[in-house]
Amino acid sequence: MREKEFLPNVRERLGIESLNPMQRKMLDTAAEGRDIILLSPTGSGKTLAFTLPLMKALRPSTGRVQVVIIAPSRELVVQVAGIVREVARGFKVTALYGGHKVEDEKNSLSVTPDIVVATPGRLLDHAVRRNIDLLPVRILVLDEFDKCLELGFDEEMSKILKRLKNVSRIILTSATSVETIPDYLPLRDPLTLDFIPEADKAGSSSPRSRMKIHLVESDHRDKLETLLGLLKEIYASVGTDHRTIIFVNHRESAERVYDFLRKAGVDCALYHGALDQHDREKALIRFDNGSTPILVATDLAARGLDIENIGSVIHYHQPLTPEVFTHRNGRTARVDAEGDVYLLLGPEEEVKPFVDSDVRMEVKPADRFKLKSPIASIYISAGKKEKLSKGDILGFLTKDLGIEASQVGKIDLSDHSAIVTVAADKADFVAREGSARKIKGERRKFSKI
């Protein structure tokens, strides 16, 4: 496929006027056909970077899978598939991941996609069930490869590679240097493109120039009131569209911090691995669409999330390794944006040696602080599989319920559900009246989340 056929999609669908040096280099290597190891920090645009050479290699649809992209998490699969779809207009892109109905995915595979984006376990499951034929695949991308290894996907990926017998090109991406390549991965004379800043190499977690790291001392081992005081200070000078992630080291701690903040008057969302997939999904959507400005999370959120306007990262607990410190911090100061990082320190708690900062700040503890977004999220119990579109939802809200278009925000559409933001003072009305009326001839449940 020629550049003039897909580069307009980058501008028009993604709003990117010019490629950055990494993306341009990846596009330039497309003709070489060599295997590539792409080293690049989070938030640098690497999804588009590896999509560009794929586009040049794509052939007209033949009813066979041409490309497989493997990513370690459901969230990353969804985000990668979204970007690839915008660039690869005219080609079928299918996403496969846990938490998705297998039957829905099987139906989507009945018309063979050109590109499959999947988590390792779900891709292998479909291959074993013979819902998908991996033999014709020519190009394999392993995104966040280091994370795949860290999460123990070796067995699944080894079995997948045995089915990918005709792959002629492999692209690995990683946010950290890849020291060893497993034997099951048949790389041939790979070209390493290293775009990791020097300050972030060799285990160093020195902050980027656009990121400020602050040390916040607490007089008590229980740092909850200091955390609340810090949030109060942060949000005194920024609007509610400013997003903050609070990282903790354990699920139980995440629940505790979340409960405390909610009782104190702070609207926040909770995200950790023990939650139901649907609940994790809703938490991320609410955080991304701005109806919930704060996310309390374990390190599950430290990688693979592509959410804009995260202005602050707070380490309620210090990370255990320099790599985790780097990945947590990578949620903010993305691309050209600036960001602030805060580490809460208890009495006599020593700063980890990989934390490169001596900027200390005092915070007055607080036991109450009300923080509410001016918008709220409404859940609708129907989605793409029920033939519901974003236009249907907007039309229903404005025409049937009389909500002004300016009071309706982002609409996220999934297979069997949708989430739309509306002005907070209209949320109860929309939930009540939406459930009482028909949308596209059917009554659906509308609820405030």
Side-chain angles (χ1 to χ4, degrees), residues 53-181:
L54 302 186
M55 296 307 302
K56 292 200 73 170
L58 277 176
R59 300 168 181 169
S61 297
T62 60
R64 296 182 175 184
V65 180
Q66 300 187 54
V67 177
V68 165
I69 303 170
I70 295 177
S73 69
R74 176 263 170 205
E75 291 79 14
L76 190 54
V77 165
V78 171
Q79 290 167 13
V80 168
I83 292 173
V84 174
R85 283 193 185 101
E86 296 299 338
V87 180
R89 308 295 288 183
F91 292 90
K92 184 179 180 184
V93 180
T94 296
L96 309 173
Y97 52 85
H100 220 192
K101 290 185 178 179
V102 173
E103 196 61 33
D104 285 346
E105 292 183 345
K106 181 180 178 181
N107 292 338
S108 73
L109 291 169
S110 61
V111 177
T112 304
D114 300 285
I115 302 171
V116 171
V117 188
T119 52
R122 183 53 65 94
L123 179 63
L124 181 61
D125 184 46
H126 281 292
V128 170
R129 293 170 186 256
R130 297 186 178 180
N131 296 334
I132 186 172
D133 181 11
L134 298 179
L135 193 59
V137 174
R138 296 183 296 109
I139 303 173
L140 171 65
V141 178
L142 297 176
D143 193 19
E144 299 277 14
F145 178 65
D146 51 338
K147 187 66 174 177
C148 287
L149 296 181
E150 181 184 321
L151 293 176
F153 287 127
D154 294 63
E155 184 177 352
E156 288 94 336
M157 290 198 293
S158 176
K159 291 179 179 178
I160 290 170
L161 262 296
K162 290 178 181 178
R163 295 171 180 267
L164 295 170
K165 296 181 179 180
N166 291 308
V167 167
S168 59
R169 191 176 199 192
I170 297 174
I171 298 175
L172 303 184
T173 82
S174 175
T176 57
S177 296
V178 179
E179 295 182 0
T180 57
I181 302 296

